[in-house]
Amino acid sequence: MSSPPSDIAAPPAPEAPVTGRALPNGLAAFLVFFSSGAVLVLETVALRLVGPYVGVTLQVTSSVIGIALAAIAYGAWSGGWLADRRDPRGLLAPALVLAGIATAITLPVVRYAGEVLRGGAASAILLLVALAVFVPAALLAAVTPLVVKLQLADLRRTGQVVGRLSGIGTLGGITATLLTGFVLVAALRSTVILLALAISLGVVGIGLGWYLRRQQPTELPGPARTRAALAVLGLVGAGLTTVAPNPCDVETAYHCARVVTDPSRPSGRTLLLNSAHHSYVDLRDPKHLEYAYTKWIGAVADVAAPAGRRLDALHLGGGGFTVPRYLTATRPGTDNVVFEIDGGLVELGERELGVRPGPDLRAVVGDARMLVAGEPADSRDLVVGDAFGHLVVPWHLATREMAAEIRRVTRPGGVYVQNVIDYPPLRFIRAELATVSAEFAHVALIAPPEALAEQQGANFLIVGSDAPLPLDAVRDRLGEVDPKVSLLSGAELTDFVDDAMVLTDDYAPVDQLLATA
């Protein structure tokens, strides 16, 4: 059989026809902007949803970003595949309505699942984040390729159409990220944000379906029973939201907060942040220190200066304001300045934890790193570092540069105490000791013996000064408040720290150091 002549070309493969008429440019732009923005609202709120169960760490943040990007990738891929095989006009409205239904059931699903998946295990984090984000984000990501397919009536303008709609989608994501982060999260509860988003998606989807059927009759996919069942599912999801277990009494800009009364001490109050026990205060007795690490801080403060003498104290992190209240009660006239990034916690403290701002207590809302830089040199007798993001010291507060700022603010002979949480094999506390020791000439460590032996996780208290520490007096006072605790200094502390790295602004892998081996 002879081959065809070389000058005869095979006919080109036929182009897949574009089904239906293009959408008005304004409507197409709105759909892409709205759906892309909705994905970023989900991504931002997801951190608030999963935080009470798995914390707010670098791993959790990375999981939310990664799962959201995976959902966008699979959703866009699937949407493009469907757009080449079915009329996109019949798919757009269902995609938005289904995304609204998935959003409505996200919150109860996460709250019920979160009670089972509590903890920081990587598998629990990934699964809980996937439940929070993947399905609604994938459905929303399918909208853009469906719209693009409809707008490609003239294939000579493919680049212009795709580029314009891609840019509009990106602007939608940027707008939603800024609006959610700066306004919505601070003003509304996560429940309200998600339900409002679900309703908005449903309304837009139904309105779009009505508009498209008027323009060109198109049967929605699936039998009527299926559509009715989905509508019922959405209503059930919204209803479950009202009865799902809620770990928060108050949602601040940074925390899911709850205040619990101590059943064995009627005046005792426990502050829980993201379900972790953060602070304990006694409304009637500010001298009562419940948690071990607060007793250690109190012991160091008790011997930092002659008994009863006022101090100028700076607190990095407020929480329940336990230590400032203790200093005011034991050393009248003490000037307590508290740097607390979460204004909602300050308000909660004033409302429920006996915090009374005045001449002896000033709360300044802002990031401690930024605020310390504005403090005068040699202005504080005592600096207390007790700032946490969930159970992790924020990395920028754990570096040598931060320690240098604290040393600058501390008066000669003044004392810096820093509360740290770590778990075996204790890589972070060793690194933080090395970091503080790089700036303060005299350093000691207070911790439970079991924790030092790497048998359990615990609080550790670093004590630093440019002058020799009153170690004997501290040991005596610790013996009175917590006889089982250990105090390391000198050669013992050097051996414990070993060759641990010094953390710097350039390299401070705090979350990785905290990861258990």
Side-chain angles (χ1 to χ4, degrees), residues 357-391:
D360 57 357
L361 175 60
R362 292 178 289 128
V364 182
V365 177
D367 189 287
R369 179 69 183 265
M370 304 297 102
L371 294 173
V372 166
E375 285 291 290
D378 301 334
S379 60
R380 296 290 158 182
D381 302 301
L382 176 67
V383 179
V384 180
D386 193 20
F388 284 85
H390 193 52
L391 300 178

Side-chain angles (χ1 to χ4, degrees), residues 217-259:
T218 303
E219 182 63 28
L220 288 175
R225 288 182 181 177
T226 302
R227 299 198 294 272
L230 290 173
V232 171
L233 180 62
L235 292 174
V236 169
L240 283 175
T241 296
T242 62
V243 298
N246 188 349
C248 312
D249 286 339
V250 177
E251 282 192 53
T252 69
Y254 292 89
H255 298 100
C256 163
R258 170 174 287 181
V259 175

